[in-house]
Amino acid sequence: MAHRQPILLIDSPSLYFRAYFGIPESAAKTGDGQPVNAVRGFLDMLAQLVRTRRPDRMICALDHDWRPAWRVELLPSYKAHRVAPEGGEVVPDTLSPQVPMILEVLDALGIPAVGADGYEADDVLGTLAVTQPGPVEVVSGDRDLFQLVDDAHPVRLLYVGRGVAKLDDCDDAAVRTRYGVPADRYADFAALRGDPSDGLPGVAGVGEKTAARLIDRYGGLDGILAALDDPRSGFAPGLRAKLDAARDYLAVAPKVVRVATDVPLPVLDPALPTSPADPDRLLELAQRWNLAGSCRRLVDALAGDRS
């Protein structure tokens, strides 16, 4: 079925972490003092996105496994610095209780939220991006999702690096301008460059500009590795040595960086509701958690004209 309006695929962890750190706890609490800054900020972001992007569908993706074993098996350093001493991810104590609140509000609104065991939210987004009818707009502050951009489908990334009010609306040309590589080579580029926030070491001495030049010249990691074995390929001796030393890393890193697009997901109805699925429950949650303003803004946005 063809759609004129986009589906918004929401990277929920990206947005609620941003909301948590963007709104002081002191500014958003329940009557008994429990922080709801992440909930309030997340709902306000959704309201703004609905008002400005005018979608007809929305799905919120969840992290059921923030550090999948299959990625760690390939690259043990993957997100290792974010593992808490007792196991699990390092998450602020006052953020963790807010995630179930967000899910309850979404359920009362009738906005689907979905995750999958053994996969990150990125993988859920990647699968939805290729299986949902376009146009698709992925909303995230995660650079890895630039790889999902696909002008043919079409899939765009609404990058929230500067906040939801200042979205970077990225197609393939925007990715090329930003990084010097096409979107479908972003995973190779990221593997070469590395990403300390994910525990990806990259190739020592290879930064963004060198990584982009290599991909432009050789087409991607497969071409780069093949050229390493060709003495006529024109590598500077120092660069050849650095890449040769990183062969084992480069054999696995792209598989770690690439977003899965075949995650088993339940059948979902992404149609954006024009009114809450359970208005009485939504009212009760809004009153209990002091979220009346944010809930009202989102309900008003859903009820608005999106034609």
Side-chain angles (χ1 to χ4, degrees):
M1 176 181 176
H3 290 260
R4 289 187 304 147
Q5 295 163 266
I7 181 171
L8 286 186
L9 302 180
I10 307 296
D11 184 350
S12 301
S14 179
L15 265 60
Y16 62 62
F17 267 94
R18 178 172 293 274
Y20 176 83
F21 288 108
I23 299 175
E25 289 184 9
S26 58
K29 291 187 175 183
T30 64
D32 60 4
Q34 182 177 4
V36 289
N37 51 328
V39 188
R40 185 176 294 181
F42 182 85
L43 297 176
D44 283 342
M45 289 180 191
L46 292 192
Q48 181 160 352
L49 287 163
V50 172
R51 285 196 308 270
T52 57
R53 306 309 299 188
R54 301 163 73 91
D56 63 0
R57 297 157 290 149
M58 179 187 289
I59 300 174
C60 294
L62 306 173
D63 264 339
H64 277 194
D65 191 341
W66 69 280
R67 190 172 181 250
W70 59 272
R71 283 195 166 103
V72 176
E73 185 177 350
L74 289 167
L75 190 68
S77 67
Y78 183 65
K79 295 186 179 180
H81 61 296
R82 288 156 57 180
V83 178
E86 66 279 8
E89 185 179 14
V90 176
V91 178
D93 291 342
T94 51
L95 171 57
S96 296
Q98 297 188 57
V99 178
M101 295 180 179
I102 289 171
L103 297 181
E104 284 202 56
V105 174
L106 289 175
D107 188 58
L109 286 163
I111 296 174
V114 64
D117 292 342
Y119 294 97
E120 301 176 54
D122 287 7
D123 302 311
V124 176
L125 292 164
T127 300
L128 292 170
V130 301
T131 57
Q132 291 293 316
V136 173
E137 295 185 345
V138 179
V139 184
S140 178
D142 186 341
R143 294 185 299 176
D144 285 341
L145 295 178
F146 280 112
Q147 66 185 278
L148 297 182
V149 171
D150 179 357
D151 289 356
H153 187 49
V155 180
R156 306 173 79 91
L157 178 66
L158 305 183
Y159 185 64
V160 297
R162 300 181 298 161
V164 170
K166 297 180 180 179
L167 291 172
D168 289 325
D169 182 353
C170 298
D171 58 5
D172 190 73
V175 179
R176 289 173 185 265
T177 298
R178 183 184 287 259
Y179 294 113
V181 297
D184 65 0
R185 288 289 178 262
Y186 183 85
D188 286 357
F189 167 81
L192 285 163
R193 176 202 61 199
D195 188 344
S197 68
D198 280 342
L200 290 171
V203 177
V206 173
E208 288 196 353
K209 291 183 179 179
T210 301
R213 284 199 302 270
L214 287 169
I215 287 171
D216 180 62
R217 180 168 184 176
Y218 299 105
L221 266 182
D222 289 344
I224 293 167
L225 292 172
L228 275 180
D229 297 321
D230 182 354
R232 301 165 299 175
S233 57
F235 283 110
L239 180 57
R240 182 187 292 274
K242 290 172 183 176
L243 292 167
D244 196 50
R247 278 182 187 267
D248 289 346
Y249 163 75
L250 291 175
V252 298
K255 301 171 189 174
V256 174
V257 177
R258 286 192 190 110
V259 171
T261 56
D262 58 353
V263 176
L265 296 175
V267 176
L268 300 166
D269 179 5
L272 200 63
T274 56
S275 60
D278 191 339
D280 292 339
R281 182 168 169 233
L282 181 64
L283 179 60
E284 188 272 324
L285 295 175
Q287 292 174 339
R288 187 202 314 172
W289 293 329
N290 194 21
L291 298 169
S294 294
C295 287
R296 182 176 62 253
R297 285 186 285 273
L298 183 47
V299 168
D300 288 347
L302 294 171
D305 180 11
R306 299 194 295 273
S307 61

